[in-house]
Amino acid sequence: MNDEIIFMTSDASHTGNLTPLVHEIRHALFQLIEAGKESSIDLRRLPLSPQEEHQLETFLGYGEVKADIQALGDTVLIESRFSGVWLETHYNQTSDILGKYVHICICPQLIKAQHQDMSFSLSQLEIAVDALSKSNENPDNQES
């Protein structure tokens, strides 16, 4: 049995958790800058009203980067207007929200290339480069 308590969005119109949350984000950004310490806040573990979630998203705003990842449902990563503060939302295949996080980091782990994927890509790139080189050596064999 899982003993973790996970709060869902509160039915209350105001929980009082928004202001402490933005202070926590500010402190985490300070820790990232000063000590290189990355952190994440699981918003589904905090009782926030729908209005407070909207206020948080409005407060964070949008920066220059947005990534949309499709794998077993969509994941959307948005850099906030505060560099180093990211909002990550996971959806299932029917677009229900499964998870929502604030990451305070240089670049979220989810969008960093993984070593195993890069190794596979290198082998695929080598095959593609070899095929391109061979086709350029024999231009008469190319299809029009």
Side-chain angles (χ1 to χ4, degrees), residues 118-135:
M118 289 187 294
S119 294
F120 177 75
S121 291
L122 177 59
S123 66
Q124 295 299 304
L125 181 58
E126 288 170 345
I127 292 167
V129 167
D130 186 49
L132 178 64
S133 296
K134 287 179 182 176
S135 70

Side-chain angles (χ1 to χ4, degrees), residues 65-137:
V65 179
K66 179 180 179 183
D68 192 5
I69 302 152
Q70 292 85 36
L72 301 174
D74 287 340
T75 297
V76 178
L77 272 163
I78 299 172
E79 179 189 35
S80 78
R81 67 184 172 121
F82 305 106
S83 183
V85 179
W86 300 78
L87 184 63
E88 176 180 326
T89 308
H90 297 274
Y91 299 91
N92 66 12
Q93 294 167 331
T94 58
S95 299
D96 299 315
I97 295 176
L98 296 177
K100 198 171 218 177
Y101 303 88
V102 174
H103 296 294
I104 299 87
C105 57
I106 295 169
C107 180
Q109 191 67 32
L110 188 60
I111 59 175
K112 290 182 180 177
Q114 303 301 310
H115 190 272
Q116 185 177 10
D117 294 338
M118 289 187 294
S119 294
F120 177 75
S121 291
L122 177 59
S123 66
Q124 295 299 304
L125 181 58
E126 288 170 345
I127 292 167
V129 167
D130 186 49
L132 178 64
S133 296
K134 287 179 182 176
S135 70
N136 284 336
E137 289 172 5

Side-chain angles (χ1 to χ4, degrees), residues 21-75:
L21 176 58
V22 296
H23 281 283
E24 183 177 347
I25 292 168
R26 183 208 56 80
H27 178 73
L29 185 57
F30 177 81
Q31 290 296 311
L32 176 62
I33 293 166
E34 293 297 313
K37 182 182 177 204
E38 297 184 343
S39 56
S40 294
I41 301 166
D42 185 345
L43 297 177
R44 289 293 176 236
R45 293 182 179 269
L46 300 174
L48 293 173
S49 70
Q51 178 183 355
E52 288 170 322
E53 278 194 32
H54 178 72
Q55 287 176 310
L56 175 63
E57 290 177 15
T58 301
F59 176 80
L60 293 176
Y62 297 100
E64 298 174 350
V65 179
K66 179 180 179 183
D68 192 5
I69 302 152
Q70 292 85 36
L72 301 174
D74 287 340
T75 297

